[in-house]
Amino acid sequence: LGNLHALIEIDIDNNHLEGSIAPSIFNISSLEIFNVQNNNLNGYFPPDLGSKLPNLKLFLVNGNGFHGEIPPSLCNTSVIQMIQMDANFLSGTIPNCFGIQQNNLLELTFADNQLEATNDGAWSFLSGLTNCSNLKYLDVSQNKLHGKLPDLIGNLSKNLFYLNLQFCSITGNIPESIGNLIGLSELGMNNNLLEGSVPSSIGSLKLLNQLDLSNNNLSGPIPVTLGNLTMLALLRLNGNAINEGIPSNLSSCPLGFLDLSHNSLTGAIPKALFLISTLSDSLCLDHNFLTGTIPPEVSNLRSLGKLDFSSNKMSGEIPISIGNCQNLQYLNASENFLQGQIPLSVGQLNGLSVLDLSHNNFSGRIPDF
């Protein structure tokens, strides 16, 4: 293949190819598309790769077993549009030259490797990427990226619609500047070591569809500005130390999935939460310090599949209206202070596969259903 000096495109993706790539292939200067993703290939990339492939537009090597460092020469590919190197065994740091000469760069993914950032300065690769006004997709998740996120993350392209930083070891606060990324549709920063409060500036991301900040060390209240996100379908804040009450204006979001479990939330569950007609997947409020009763408005959740408010301090009775939640498959009300009888209407939930009412103060007989 290295003798095909006019070759423009190589597509051998999604096969079961093994072994290394012949070095001669990286001498084909006419090459524009190099696609070997999802094979079992391995080996190193030559350090002068980018210099020898000046016309490269798509470099897709994800889903293989490549190792070694990312060649800094890849920054010399001035017409490159997509670089996908995720799901390999790459190590070292992310070169800080990406984006400086690459105005056409649309997508950059290094997820699921062994890349490192041992200090705050190792995040300097974000600096060059601020020059990429067309960047839409950035994924560096599932790496060993320590240190704090710099404020300059808010200087990335306003066209960026996907930003994934999950499963790293990021510390410190989430910069308020994150609110400058007004084009974001998905933001994933879960499973890190982030602390401080959830920035109220996130409420400026009007196009946001999914927000996942779960499993961090975040504290403080849920910002009421999240109620401004009128396109938000998924919100995960579980596994933090967030406190105070649940803002009632979350009902302004077209949520299909809401998980606020394993926090320190207090007060009653706002009735408005049960008026979110779009809730179809899950409503998880378990393992908090919520009080009050289950409002009869729970009957509005006709499309909901999972409802969990276990391990709280809820009291009162289960409302009869819960029988209207016809799509409910999972109902967990355990470890509260609920009382009275188990309503017969629970027997109307024909799709129910899990029912946990343990550790409460129920009385009377167990319904025949």
Side-chain angles (χ1 to χ4, degrees):
L1 289 178
N3 295 323
L4 303 177
H5 301 298
L7 197 63
I8 293 175
E9 182 169 348
I10 293 178
D11 288 302
I12 53 174
D13 55 304
N14 293 289
N15 281 288
H16 299 285
L17 298 172
E18 300 178 357
S20 58
I21 295 173
S24 60
I25 290 179
F26 296 115
N27 293 327
I28 307 174
S29 60
S30 59
L31 203 60
E32 296 181 4
I33 297 174
F34 183 69
N35 182 3
V36 299
Q37 60 185 341
N38 300 320
N39 281 286
N40 298 309
L41 299 169
N42 55 39
Y44 298 86
F45 295 113
D48 56 355
L49 182 151
S51 302
K52 291 191 173 182
L53 301 177
N55 297 305
L56 203 59
K57 293 181 180 178
L58 305 183
F59 186 64
L60 314 177
V61 298
N62 50 297
N64 282 286
F66 294 113
H67 46 275
E69 298 188 351
I70 300 170
S73 66
L74 200 52
C75 300
N76 298 332
T77 52
S78 59
V79 295
I80 196 90
Q81 297 175 13
M82 295 175 60
I83 299 175
Q84 295 182 356
M85 305 183 75
D86 45 301
N88 281 286
F89 299 102
L90 300 173
S91 57
T93 59
I94 300 175
N96 58 11
C97 53
F98 279 110
I100 295 178
Q101 304 179 51
Q102 299 167 316
N103 295 328
N104 297 318
L105 191 61
L106 300 173
E107 182 173 335
L108 187 64
T109 62
F110 296 130
D112 194 11
N113 279 287
Q114 298 170 8
L115 299 169
E116 295 183 89
T118 55
N119 52 53
D120 300 346
W123 285 91
S124 60
F125 69 88
L126 290 174
S127 179
L129 292 177
T130 60
N131 299 309
C132 300
S133 58
N134 296 313
L135 189 65
K136 294 184 177 181
Y137 198 102
L138 177 60
D139 191 346
V140 295
S141 61
Q142 299 184 71
N143 280 290
K144 302 173 183 178
L145 302 179
H146 300 255
K148 299 178 181 179
L149 279 179
D151 286 335
L152 61 81
I153 194 169
N155 296 336
L156 292 173
S157 171
K158 288 181 170 55
N159 292 314
L160 191 70
F161 74 85
Y162 184 93
L163 177 59
N164 193 348
L165 305 171
Q166 65 184 4
F167 287 96
C168 294
S169 300
I170 307 170
T171 56
N173 295 353
I174 301 174
E176 282 282 345
S177 63
I178 201 82
N180 296 335
L181 304 178
I182 56 175
L184 275 184
S185 175
E186 295 186 31
L187 174 59
M189 304 177 74
N190 52 294
N191 294 84
N192 282 291
L193 301 170
L194 295 166
E195 54 192 29
S197 58
V198 178
S200 59
S201 62
I202 290 181
S204 302
L205 306 178
K206 299 297 179 65
L207 301 179
L208 203 60
N209 180 262
Q210 297 187 23
L211 174 61
D212 193 345
L213 303 178
S214 61
N215 298 314
N216 280 287
N217 298 318
L218 298 170
S219 57
I222 299 173
V224 294
T225 55
L226 295 189
N228 299 332
L229 303 177
T230 55
M231 297 185 68
L232 192 65
L234 179 147
L235 176 59
R236 295 193 62 177
L237 300 177
N238 52 294
N240 284 287
I242 296 171
N243 52 35
E244 298 188 22
I246 302 172
S248 60
N249 68 342
L250 285 181
S251 61
S252 301
C253 307
L255 291 165
F257 185 105
L258 176 60
D259 193 344
L260 305 177
S261 63
H262 293 270
N263 278 291
S264 299
L265 295 168
T266 57
I269 302 173
K271 291 182 179 180
L273 218 58
F274 297 101
L275 300 177
I276 305 176
S277 60
T278 51
L279 273 172
S280 57
D281 193 314
S282 300
L283 174 58
C284 300
L285 305 172
D286 53 288
H287 292 86
N288 281 288
F289 301 100
L290 297 170
T291 55
T293 60
I294 305 170
E297 286 81 2
V298 70
S299 62
N300 293 297
L301 302 178
R302 298 177 185 274
S303 302
L304 190 66
K306 178 178 180 179
L307 178 58
D308 191 344
F309 46 86
S310 60
S311 299
N312 278 288
K313 297 183 177 182
M314 308 282 292
S315 58
E317 300 182 359
I318 296 179
I320 296 175
S321 60
I322 200 165
N324 293 331
C325 302
Q326 289 297 304
N327 287 334
L328 211 56
Q329 300 174 33
Y330 181 102
L331 174 60
N332 192 344
S334 64
E335 298 191 51
N336 279 285
F337 301 110
L338 299 172
Q339 58 192 34
Q341 295 190 354
I342 299 172
L344 296 175
S345 60
V346 175
Q348 300 171 17
L349 304 176
N350 296 325
L352 204 63
S353 59
V354 174
L355 174 64
D356 193 344
L357 305 177
S358 61
H359 297 277
N360 278 289
N361 296 321
F362 291 117
S363 57
R365 66 190 298 270
I366 298 173
D368 291 340
F369 70 81

